[in-house]
Amino acid sequence: MTMPLHDWIQPISTSLRPDDTMEEAARIMLETGLDVIVVGDAAGRMLGEFSSSSLYQMIVDKTPVTAPIRDFIKTDAVTTRMDKLSEMKLEQIEQMVSNCPGAYTVVVDDHRRMIGILTRGNLARQHDDRSRAPEKSALKHPYQAMYSWDHIITCDKRMKHCIALAAKTARHNTPILLRGESGTGKELFAHAVHQESDRANGPFITVNCASIPEHLLEAEFLGYEPGAFTGAHRAGRLGKLELARGGTLFLDEIGDMPLALQAKLLRVLEGKDFFRVGGSQPIQTDVRIIAATHAPLEDMMAAKTFRADLYYRLHIMTLTIPPLRERRCDILLLAHAFIKQLNPVLNTRVTGIEEAVQEVLDQYEWPGNIRQLRNVMERGMILAEEGELSFADLPEEIAQSAAAGTGRDLVHEVEKRELERTLRETNGNKTKAARLLGISRSAFYEKLKKYRI
């Protein structure tokens, strides 16, 4: 078949291990909004899937929040081997995916190592992209930075200092290392640096080193020659380094990059060339590297899991972005900005936040930083629809922030979400919803009363 199959497969950005606990699974589901998460082993081999119904069953069984999810993994998840997929016609693939539960299949290699997910939505988008191909051909390239300094909203002195340093460094080709917790806005900084630089008209390419299975990361990064490995496209494939030529390559979560690939990245930084997987000829490149991580790189160097020479090559200009709890003047500033931004998107008419709720938001620790704040605001606006956000519109772990942080609070939020989801699926039929959840009608009504549903 003559279709860019690898481009149609969505990388698996989130996965679980059998030894992950109920609390960890619940936290990931709440943060990502996913109802189904694939489960793999240390080698990236597919073991099954863990769904919101699996999580709810653990709650019904009164499973301790520290218990592993191992016994609740569904092992009948639909998988498709990459080599078989490559032999199928587009119409056959669309029919197969449409017939799968959930309209998706996990693509694996011949050793059941996960490659990615192929969904009906991905295939539909490809049809749309092809229909718009003449329009897109007028663009210089399809990879463009989306954010500028105007998208970074702050009144904090440390943040303003970071922006000033980043803007000054943007005019040079010096590598930049962005450090900070997840959700603090490292990717926004990377986009803005590219927009400010002389490479602004060039491509901006992102590689998330944590979301791509280790055995595929090298091919994704460097590209590969035809027939370089099992499942490889017969025509070969350009890597992100080549796609970023003349622009910026953003390496997110660089702390997760394997040691062998770290050595090849160092060669790019120092020698400006690299080899494709399976290739024998060096390829020259012209690219600016921006890396980001929340990992303790100094500890990783001591443990020999991150190369010291690469660290010092990237460490020429390091910017540490403070977490939201250390820039409290930004919390309500961002919250109101999200209301303004999301009202037209959600078709809501939210006008503000009740004063008591503002105080709770201001005092909350925000472990997920700006990303978590935005998700909380979006959820609250959907529930409120209009007027001011109240306590009833907040997740329980925030509304009851004085008692937040325990695994049981997190499970309560998951339970409430599952009750709401089941009611939506049954069009409000409480008898049917109770039956689907495997609990009695009286117990179901008690839970509705408990969570004010």
Side-chain angles (χ1 to χ4, degrees), residues 209-231:
C209 302
S211 69
I212 304 173
E214 182 174 333
H215 65 285
L216 291 176
L217 186 55
E218 185 174 359
E220 184 78 10
F221 184 61
L222 303 173
Y224 57 82
E225 297 291 346
F229 53 86
T230 302

Side-chain angles (χ1 to χ4, degrees), residues 166 169-170 174-178 193 288-292 314 317-319:
T169 310
T174 304
I176 295 178
L177 179 60
L178 300 172
V193 166
R288 199 254 186 86
I289 301 291
I290 301 177
L314 293 171
M317 179 56 70
T318 296
L319 302 175

Side-chain angles (χ1 to χ4, degrees), residues 334-344 348 350-353 377 381 389:
L334 287 164
H336 286 101
F338 289 142
I339 290 176
K340 183 177 180 181
Q341 178 188 112
L342 292 172
N343 263 329
T348 52
V350 174
T351 57
I353 308 167
M377 295 304 296
M381 292 172 67
L389 297 186

Side-chain angles (χ1 to χ4, degrees), residues 378-408:
E378 182 172 352
R379 176 189 186 278
M381 292 172 67
I382 291 171
L383 295 177
E385 295 185 335
E386 60 184 14
E388 293 188 332
L389 297 186
S390 67
F391 281 105
D393 305 317
L394 296 181
E396 186 173 344
E397 72 271 15
I398 297 178
Q400 299 180 353
S401 57
T406 66
R408 183 51 58 188

Side-chain angles (χ1 to χ4, degrees), residues 27-42:
R27 191 179 303 282
I28 290 173
M29 281 187 163
L30 286 175
E31 290 179 353
T32 62
L34 296 174
D35 289 324
V36 179
I37 301 177
V38 295
V39 182
D41 61 15

